[in-house]
Amino acid sequence: MVTTSIPTTPFSDQRPGTSGLRKKVTVFQQPRYVENFIQAIFDNVEGAQGSTLVIGGDGRYFNDVVVQTAIRMAAAHGFGRVLVGQRGLLSTPAASCVIRKHKAIGGLVLSASHNPGGPDGDFGIKFNMSHGGPAPESFTEAVFKRATAITEYRIVDAPDIDLSRIGPTKVGEMNVEVIDPVADYAELMEQLVDFGKIADLFRSGFRMRFDALSAITGPYAKAILENRLGAPAGTVVNGEPKPDFGGHHPDPNPVHAHDLMDLMLGPDAPDFGAASDGDGDRNMIVARGLFVTPSDSLAILASHAHLAPGYAKGLAGVARSMPTSRAADRVAKKLGINFFETPTGWKFFANLLDAGLITLCGEESAGTGSNHIREKDGLWAVLLWLNILAVTKKPADQIVREHWAAFGRDYYTRHDYEELETAPANELMETLRKKLPALPGQRFGGLTVQSCDDFAYTDPVDGSITPKQGIRILFEEDARAVFRLSGTGTSGATLRVYLERFEPDTNRHDLPTADVLAPVVQAANEIAEIAARTGRNEPSVIT
C-alpha cells in the first residue's frame, strides 16, 4: 500500500481554541483543509511510530468522512494501531476512557460539542493527550505554527474500511480495531457507581426521562440505563445519534431541552430528568418541578459523592471554573478539602486531576467530571445522581432543598449575546477593563461595587499564568457579575454574562430567580453598557 505525499498550502484560520479547531462544516469541506490540520497535529505527536491512536466522534455531519481520512493518514505516519468506535462513534468522555485504558498516545476527537450539526452546522477536531484530556496550549500553539507553514500532507492510498463491523482489520501495515464504543466506558462506570443499588431503585418503580437530543449519548444511555440497570424501555428518548441531531440544538439547557423541561414541570412528571449534549460531555439535571443549575449540581455531587463506591474514601478536592457559582466553595470548606477556581477550559482541571489535588470539578456550562477521565462527562454525572438518590431514598428536589438549607442558595443565571460583531464585542470588554479601577464604591441597580478585577490564573502545578480570563464584579450585597467572550462558537463573538446572588435565608429560597437577580442584571448592563455597545436590548439565550 503506497504512502503518498500531497503538496498543499496553508490556511490562515487553523488556530485551535480551548477545545480544538471548530468551524462551519463548509469550511472543513474545503479541499485539503482537514488533511492540513491533521498533518499539523501528527507532526507534533512525539513517539507516534508503533503507538496506539484513538479516533472517534459524535456522529455529526461529516464525521464519517473525516474518520476515514484520519485512519489513512495515521497509517501513513507509522502508528501501530488505531482504535476507532463502531460507525466512527465515540463520545468525548468515552474517547478519554479508551485512551487511558489502552495506554494510547492520544486521540483525535471529532466534535463541535454542543454546537449545532448538519450540513450548515459546525464541525470540530481536537487532539487529546495520553492522559485522555485536551492538549495543552503549548501543543495547540505548535499545531497552529505548523499549520501556517505546511507544504505537504501524507496519506496512504487505501479504500474506506467497514466501520459497521466490530473487529480487526489492517490499513497498510497499521492494525485497525473497530471497537464497541460503549463497552470500556460502561465497565468504568460500574467501578464508580453502585449499579446494584440503582437497579433496585428502578425496580422500586422509580421513573426517569433521559433526553439524548439525538446525539452521541443515546447509545450509552440505552446500554447502561435500560439494558444494564433495568430502566423501562423508553426511558431514553431521542436516543439515535443523527448527523443533524434530528433538528435539535444539542446544548442541554432549559431553552433547547424544552420538551424535557415541560415534562418535568408538568402534572405527570417522572421522578428524575436528565439530558446530555452533542458529544456527551455535558449534562442537564431536572428534579420534579425544579431545574438544578449546573453550579448547584456540582456542589451537591461534591457533598454526596462519598455515597458512591468510587468516592467512598472522600475527595482530595474540588475545582470550578471562575464563572461557575460559588456553591461548591462552601462544600469544600465544610469538608476541609482543597478548592480551586480556574479559567474556563478543561485542560486547567486536567492539571489538578493529574497532580491528585482534586477529585471532582465542574463548569457552569453543564460540564461536570471527576478523576476517572480527563474530560467532563455527562452520563457519569447522571449516574452519580442516581446513586445518591438510590442510597438516600429521597426525591431529587428534596436533595436540592436540603442542600440549600445547609449551605444557602446561590441564585444564578447566564445571559448569552450570540453572534455579535467581533470588533464591538472586543471593544466592550476593553472599555470595561479600563473602568475597573474606578468602579469600587459606585452604585448600579441598587447594588454597590465592592471589588473587581480581570481574572488571571496561576496554575499551582506548572506555574503557568493565564491572564484576561473574564472580568469579575463583586457587590457588597454578596452578588457577582462576570463578563467573558466565549471561544466555543464558530461565527462572530458571544458575550456571556454570569449573574449570581447568595441567599442564606431559607425563607427566601423559593423566590423567582429572575426577581432575585433583577438588580444584578441591571447593574451588569449599566456597568458594561451592553445595549449601547451591542445594539441588543435582550440576550439571545437565558439559562
Side-chain angles (χ1 to χ4, degrees):
M1 198 166 286
V2 177
T3 297
T4 306
S5 294
I6 309 293
T8 190
T9 54
F11 293 87
S12 62
D13 62 347
Q14 292 195 331
R15 181 188 292 276
T18 56
S19 296
L21 184 67
R22 292 182 184 174
K23 303 286 181 183
K24 292 293 184 184
V25 168
T26 50
V27 174
F28 276 101
Q29 286 176 320
Q30 296 174 90
R32 303 177 289 101
Y33 196 89
V34 166
E35 291 86 347
N36 277 23
F37 189 65
I38 293 177
Q39 181 68 52
I41 291 174
F42 286 169
D43 283 346
N44 283 282
V45 177
E46 297 180 1
Q49 291 294 317
S51 66
T52 297
L53 178 73
V54 174
I55 299 176
D58 61 14
R60 67 177 57 232
Y61 189 86
F62 205 46
N63 189 89
D64 52 349
V65 174
V66 177
V67 166
Q68 299 285 358
T69 299
I71 291 170
R72 290 196 293 270
M73 291 187 68
H77 285 79
F79 288 95
R81 178 174 68 152
V82 159
L83 302 177
V84 58
Q86 187 179 25
R87 295 167 53 203
L89 299 178
L90 273 178
S91 73
T92 293
S96 182
C97 168
V98 172
I99 291 168
R100 292 169 65 82
K101 177 179 178 179
H102 296 277
K103 295 179 170 53
I105 198 168
L108 287 174
V109 182
L110 311 178
S111 173
S113 188
H114 56 294
N115 293 2
D120 299 318
D122 299 337
F123 192 78
I125 302 175
K126 71 173 180 175
F127 188 77
N128 279 25
M129 309 299 281
S130 60
H131 65 8
E137 190 171 344
S138 58
F139 184 92
T140 57
E141 279 301 302
V143 169
F144 175 64
K145 183 177 180 180
R146 177 65 185 134
T148 61
I150 195 167
T151 58
E152 65 178 23
Y153 65 86
R154 299 194 302 282
I155 192 167
V156 299
D157 184 9
D160 287 353
I161 67 169
D162 184 358
L163 293 175
S164 67
R165 293 172 51 200
I166 292 174
T169 186
K170 290 183 81 75
V171 175
E173 298 300 312
M174 185 180 73
N175 295 312
V176 178
E177 294 180 34
V178 180
I179 63 172
D180 178 342
V182 177
D184 288 334
Y185 178 84
E187 177 186 75
L188 178 59
M189 292 302 105
E190 194 163 13
Q191 297 169 18
L192 298 173
V193 301
D194 193 325
F195 274 28
K197 281 189 169 59
I198 299 174
D200 288 343
L201 181 68
F202 282 117
R203 275 193 289 270
S204 73
F206 181 86
R207 294 190 303 142
M208 175 185 177
R209 170 66 60 86
F210 184 98
D211 193 339
L213 298 176
S214 299
I216 189 63
T217 312
Y220 296 82
K222 281 188 175 181
I224 295 174
L225 294 175
E226 295 186 6
N227 299 342
R228 297 282 293 276
L229 297 174
T235 294
V236 178
V237 298
N238 299 312
E240 177 64 28
K242 297 180 179 179
D244 64 350
F245 302 124
H248 295 104
H249 190 306
D251 189 353
N253 63 50
V255 175
H256 297 309
H258 50 81
D259 288 347
L260 178 64
M261 286 298 297
D262 290 345
L263 175 69
M264 295 304 300
L265 300 181
D268 190 34
D271 300 290
F272 189 66
S276 191
D277 73 326
D279 68 331
D281 64 355
R282 300 181 185 223
N283 71 90
M284 172 177 164
I285 302 297
V286 194
R288 182 183 286 156
L290 178 66
F291 169 66
V292 184
T293 69
S295 298
D296 277 349
S297 182
L298 172 63
I300 291 166
L301 293 181
S303 64
H304 291 82
H306 64 280
L307 300 178
Y311 310 97
K313 295 181 180 179
L315 308 179
V318 180
R320 63 165 173 86
S321 64
M322 181 273 287
T324 303
S325 95
R326 298 161 292 174
D329 308 18
R330 287 178 264 279
V331 173
K333 184 177 180 180
K334 181 177 179 181
L335 294 177
I337 59 176
N338 292 328
F339 171 74
F340 299 91
E341 181 180 38
T342 74
T344 298
W346 211 257
K347 60 187 178 182
F348 299 103
F349 292 147
N351 268 8
L352 299 170
L353 291 165
D354 285 346
L357 295 175
I358 62 170
T359 308
L360 260 59
C361 47
E363 297 178 335
E364 55 70 38
S365 55
T368 324
S370 87
N371 58 353
H372 68 289
I373 55 172
R374 294 299 179 267
E375 289 277 6
K376 42 189 175 276
D377 189 346
L379 186 53
W380 162 85
V382 173
L383 291 169
L384 186 52
W385 261 97
L386 290 173
N387 196 145
I388 293 165
L389 297 176
V391 173
T392 62
K393 295 181 169 54
K394 296 176 180 178
D397 62 311
Q398 183 178 340
I399 295 285
V400 176
R401 294 182 191 285
E402 288 180 354
H403 181 86
W404 291 342
F407 293 96
R409 180 176 181 182
D410 290 85
Y411 284 94
Y412 187 90
T413 192
R414 188 180 89 189
H415 289 190
D416 288 358
Y417 297 82
E418 298 176 336
E419 297 187 353
L420 299 174
E421 292 183 26
T422 302
N426 287 332
E427 196 173 299
L428 181 151
M429 292 296 289
E430 286 306 312
T431 302
L432 187 51
R433 285 189 177 95
K434 292 174 183 176
K435 285 184 177 181
L436 294 181
L439 287 178
Q442 292 193 50
R443 285 182 65 79
F444 302 90
L447 303 177
T448 302
V449 176
Q450 182 181 73
S451 61
C452 50
D453 67 359
D454 193 352
F455 180 59
Y457 177 68
T458 301
D459 194 300
V461 179
D462 61 22
S464 61
I465 299 174
T466 308
K468 291 188 174 182
Q469 291 301 297
I471 293 170
R472 302 184 293 186
I473 312 289
L474 183 65
F475 299 98
E476 291 180 2
E477 295 78 7
D478 213 348
R480 193 174 72 140
V482 173
F483 303 82
R484 283 185 65 247
L485 289 184
S486 172
T488 60
T490 59
S491 60
T494 296
L495 172 66
R496 301 200 195 282
V497 185
Y498 311 83
L499 307 142
E500 64 179 283
R501 188 167 188 171
F502 179 63
E503 179 53 71
D505 185 352
T506 55
N507 294 318
R508 293 177 54 81
H509 285 173
D510 284 308
L511 301 175
T513 298
D515 291 352
V516 174
L517 293 176
V520 192
V521 172
Q522 182 181 342
N525 289 343
E526 289 179 10
I527 291 169
E529 304 172 64
I530 294 175
R533 293 187 175 277
T534 67
R536 306 277 185 90
N537 291 316
E538 300 288 340
S540 312
V541 179
I542 297 176
T543 53

